[in-house]
Amino acid sequence: CILRQATKRAGTVTGKVGRKMWFWRVTTSLSVNFRHIRRCTTYTRASRIWELLSSKPPENGVPMKVQGWVRSVRAQKEVLFLHLNDGSCGTNLQVVGTPDMAISDLSFGSAVLVEGRLLPSSHGGQDVELHADRLEVIGPCNSKEFPFKAKKRHSMEYTRQFPHLRARTNSFAALLRIRSQATSAIHKFFQDQGYVHIHTPVISSNDCEGAGELFQVEPASSTVLKEISEESGKETKHFFDVPAFLTVSGQLQLEVMASALSRVYVFGPTFRAEKSLGRRHLSEFYMVEAELAFTQDQEDVMEVMEMMVKQPTEQVLASCPEDLHLFYKFVSPGHREVVEKILTSRFIRMTYTEAIRILENNSANFQFKPEWGCDLQKEHERHLVEHCGGVPVFVTDFPRHIKPFYARHNQDNKTVAAFDLLAPEVGELFGGSLREERLETLQERLDRLGLSDSYQWYLDLRRYGSVPHGGFGMGFERYLQCILGVPHIRDVIPFPRFPHSCRL
C-alpha cells in the first residue's frame, strides 16, 4: 500500500533524467512513510524484564515498553532512578528518568508503565538500563500501609499472614518460579520415560489409604437431593447414590490404567482431613504418583523413584540459579551442599527390621520407643537419615498390618513389599509398594477387611490379564522442602489449607 502511494505521488516520467528523478521521489516518500510507521509502532508491545536483561541493545539503544511494580525509588536533583520488577525473574530492571517524573503516586509497590530506550549500562552489576521518555502510574500503592517495606527482609512467618500479597516478596516470587520449573521438570521426566499422563478424578468413592481421613462431598443445598429423588422416583441420601469424597490418592485409578498402558502417572491435588498442624502436613497438597506394570521386584520401582528425585532436581538447579541462590543464601544457608549430596550419592537400602535394630541402639534419645511392628515416627526417620550420612534411604519390607491392603505379601507372611524413601529435612518423601496381583491372596485380605463388595472392580483387574506391578507416590510440597531447605510446608504452596484455615 505504501509503495503504491509512493509511486502514485512520483507520477509518470520519461527519459534518463526523468527516471532518476522518479526513483528519488519514490525512495524519499518510502523513507518518510517508514519513519512515520516506526514512530507509531515504537511501543506497541510491552516486553518482559527477563527478556530485556538478557538482550544486548546497540549503543544508541532500542525503543522499549515495560510494565511492572516499583521495588525502589531514588530521586536526585537531576535524575530519577527506579528499580522495576514484573515477576518474570528475580533481578530488577533499572529505569533512569527525569526528576519531573517523581510524582506523588510513584512509590514502592506501585504498578507503572514505562516507555523509553533500552541502552547498555555503564554501571557495574547491570548490563542494560531503560532511559524513560514516559512514565505512567497504573496502580498507586500506599507504601505506609503496605505490609511489606522496601529494602527490608521479611520472615516467612510474617509473610504467611498475607497470602494475597506475599507473592510480591522476593522469596515467595522465587519459590513460585521454582515450583513452576519443578512441575515442568517432573512432567518431562515421565514423558521422556514413556509414561502416559492420566487425569484421575478429584471426587472418588474409594478410601485408598484406608485411614478414614476423608472430606465428604455433597451438595450445599438439600434442594438438589430432593429434586434428584423426585426425578428418579426413589429417595437418595447422596448426590452420587454412594458416599463420595475428595481424593486422598489417584493410585487405584492409576492401577486401572496401568493394566492397559503399562506406565502411567498423575500429578494433581489430594486431600486429607488430618488434624495435624505440623510442619509437614497440609489438608490439600499435590501428589506425584506413578504405576509400572510388569515389575519384577521392589528394586524396579525404587530405581524409578531415585531417578525421579535426581533428574528433575538437576533440571531445576540448571533452570533457576538466581532464585535458588536466594534460598541458599538467605533462607537455608548451606543447604546447597545437602542437595549436592543427594544428587551424587546412591540412595541407601535397608529393611524395616534393620532400621528398627538401628533405632533400638539409640532408643534413649527418642520420645517414642522404636519397636518392631510400630510405624516410624518423624524422629525415627530423621535419625535414620542422619545415621546414613545425610543420604536418602529406602526402608523396605514393612509389617503387613501397618500398610494398605493392596501391598504385596512377602514369603514370610509377616511383611509386605512396601517401601518408604526418607530424605533430609522432611523424613518420608515417597511411599510405594508392589501391588498384590494374586487374586486369591487379595480376595482373602479384602474378605477379612469386609471390603470385597466395594472392590469387585479391583478384583476384576486380577481376574483378567493380571501382571506383577507396583507404584509410588511423592508429596510435591515435601519435595520442594527437601531441595530448598524450607522448614514449613505452608511456605512452599501458594494457598495453604490446614485445620482452622481456608483463606482465599
Side-chain angles (χ1 to χ4, degrees):
C1 180
I2 293 170
L3 181 61
R4 221 173 18 246
Q5 292 176 358
T7 53
K8 185 176 181 181
R9 290 194 193 97
T12 56
V13 294
T14 58
K16 187 175 182 181
V17 175
R19 284 195 297 274
K20 288 183 178 180
M21 182 62 68
W22 179 87
F23 184 79
W24 178 84
R25 289 173 183 169
V26 170
T27 54
T28 302
S29 179
L30 286 173
S31 176
V32 170
N33 277 283
F34 278 121
R35 280 201 301 272
H36 172 71
I37 289 173
R38 282 197 297 270
R39 285 197 302 271
C40 292
T41 61
T42 295
Y43 307 118
T44 54
R45 182 182 71 88
S47 297
R48 302 299 303 278
I49 285 178
W50 75 267
E51 296 175 300
L52 303 186
L53 294 175
S54 59
S55 66
K56 294 183 178 180
E59 289 298 323
N60 62 343
V62 290
M64 202 63 63
K65 177 169 74 172
V66 295
Q67 299 167 128
W69 292 270
V70 176
R71 289 296 174 86
S72 69
V73 183
R74 184 159 51 94
Q76 298 180 356
K77 186 176 181 181
E78 297 181 352
V79 68
L80 172 71
F81 292 103
L82 298 180
H83 279 156
L84 204 63
N85 193 284
D86 63 359
S88 62
C89 63
T91 304
N92 301 323
L93 174 67
Q94 178 164 283
V95 177
V96 182
T98 55
D100 59 292
M101 293 179 178
I103 58 178
S104 59
D105 285 343
L106 185 65
S107 63
F108 170 70
S110 58
V112 298
L113 179 150
V114 183
E115 295 174 342
R117 298 190 73 79
L118 187 70
L119 296 162
S121 177
S122 58
H123 303 286
Q126 56 191 33
D127 296 326
V128 297
E129 60 187 20
L130 184 64
H131 287 226
D133 296 326
R134 187 174 80 89
L135 187 150
E136 176 188 350
V137 175
I138 301 173
C141 175
N142 187 328
S143 57
K144 292 183 178 180
E145 296 179 358
F146 192 50
F148 308 127
K149 307 303 177 186
K151 298 182 180 180
K152 181 178 180 181
R153 190 169 295 118
H154 301 86
S155 69
M156 288 190 166
E157 291 78 8
Y158 176 77
T159 62
R160 207 182 296 149
Q161 303 174 70
F162 310 98
H164 57 303
L165 295 173
R166 65 173 175 168
R168 302 275 289 276
T169 64
N170 290 335
S171 59
F172 203 72
L175 177 279
L176 294 174
R177 288 188 291 267
I178 293 169
R179 185 182 172 103
S180 176
Q181 286 294 330
T183 300
S184 298
I186 290 171
H187 279 294
K188 184 178 186 303
F189 168 79
F190 282 114
Q191 296 292 330
D192 290 348
Q193 299 289 327
Y195 285 72
V196 179
H197 183 203
I198 303 296
H199 294 108
T200 56
V202 172
I203 299 175
S204 174
S205 59
N206 300 310
D207 179 5
C208 177
E209 297 297 316
E213 298 164 338
L214 303 167
F215 289 102
Q216 190 160 351
V217 178
E218 293 292 351
S221 172
S222 58
T223 305
V224 176
L225 293 178
K226 291 180 180 178
E227 292 174 350
I228 292 176
S229 299
E230 291 173 359
E231 290 177 2
S232 64
K234 61 178 182 179
E235 185 178 358
T236 179
K237 296 180 179 180
H238 303 290
F239 184 85
F240 299 102
D241 286 342
V242 296
F245 314 94
L246 294 179
T247 182
V248 296
S249 170
Q251 180 218 309
L252 298 181
Q253 290 86 358
L254 281 184
E255 284 194 60
V256 171
M257 298 305 175
S259 68
L261 301 174
S262 297
R263 293 189 172 192
V264 293
Y265 79 102
V266 62
F267 192 157
T270 53
F271 308 85
R272 303 279 171 88
E274 296 178 332
K275 63 180 180 179
S276 174
L277 294 170
R279 292 173 174 267
R280 302 189 304 164
H281 295 91
L282 289 168
S283 299
E284 177 187 12
F285 55 96
Y286 278 72
M287 282 275 283
V288 183
E289 300 176 271
E291 288 292 320
L292 302 73
F294 305 103
T295 55
Q296 299 304 314
D297 54 35
Q298 297 182 74
E299 189 62 32
D300 291 343
V301 184
M302 290 190 291
E303 284 289 342
V304 177
M305 293 162 68
E306 183 168 347
M307 286 193 300
M308 208 206 85
V309 173
K310 292 180 176 179
Q311 290 186 18
T313 302
E314 289 171 350
Q315 184 175 331
V316 171
L317 290 176
S319 303
C320 308
E322 181 184 43
D323 291 328
L324 288 166
H325 175 72
L326 184 151
F327 275 87
Y328 296 151
K329 183 177 181 180
F330 298 112
V331 178
S332 52
H335 193 72
R336 178 65 181 254
E337 288 72 23
V338 175
V339 177
E340 292 292 348
K341 179 173 279 192
I342 292 174
L343 296 178
T344 56
S345 304
R346 175 167 171 77
F347 295 177
I348 293 169
R349 277 78 166 157
M350 69 172 66
T351 66
Y352 170 87
T353 301
E354 292 169 338
I356 291 296
R357 193 175 301 124
I358 293 170
L359 295 171
E360 286 176 338
N361 292 335
N362 295 271
S363 59
N365 300 322
F366 301 129
Q367 178 182 356
F368 298 95
K369 183 180 178 181
E371 294 179 333
W372 201 97
C374 295
D375 209 351
L376 298 178
Q377 300 296 318
K378 181 180 178 181
E379 58 180 351
H380 302 153
E381 296 170 351
R382 187 188 303 114
H383 180 84
L384 290 171
V385 175
E386 292 174 355
H387 177 82
C388 295
V391 176
V393 53
F394 285 105
V395 179
T396 68
D397 302 304
F398 281 79
R400 68 179 189 179
H401 66 273
I402 63 175
K403 288 299 180 180
F405 67 87
Y406 47 74
R408 194 181 198 277
H409 285 199
N410 289 330
Q411 291 183 353
D412 61 12
N413 207 33
K414 295 191 302 181
T415 62
V416 291
F419 35 88
D420 290 348
L421 177 61
L422 311 182
E425 303 295 331
V426 297
E428 183 187 344
L429 179 60
F430 282 79
S433 73
L434 298 183
R435 317 310 190 191
E436 185 58 76
E437 87 282 3
R438 297 165 294 188
L439 176 62
E440 296 78 9
T441 305
L442 183 60
Q443 178 78 67
E444 179 186 347
R445 191 164 193 187
L446 288 173
D447 287 344
R448 189 167 62 251
L449 296 171
L451 296 174
S452 294
D453 291 342
S454 301
Y455 286 92
Q456 281 300 313
W457 64 269
Y458 196 64
L459 293 169
D460 281 349
L461 298 178
R462 277 68 181 171
R463 292 187 179 102
Y464 310 120
S466 179
V467 300
H469 62 288
F472 60 83
M474 180 193 79
F476 182 53
E477 283 72 26
R478 287 193 186 181
Y479 166 74
L480 292 174
Q481 283 185 276
C482 179
I483 67 170
L484 296 177
V486 175
H488 210 301
I489 197 169
R490 297 176 197 171
D491 296 320
V492 294
I493 189 169
F495 304 103
R497 303 288 189 247
F498 51 93
H500 310 297
S501 180
C502 186
R503 301 177 65 183
L504 299 180

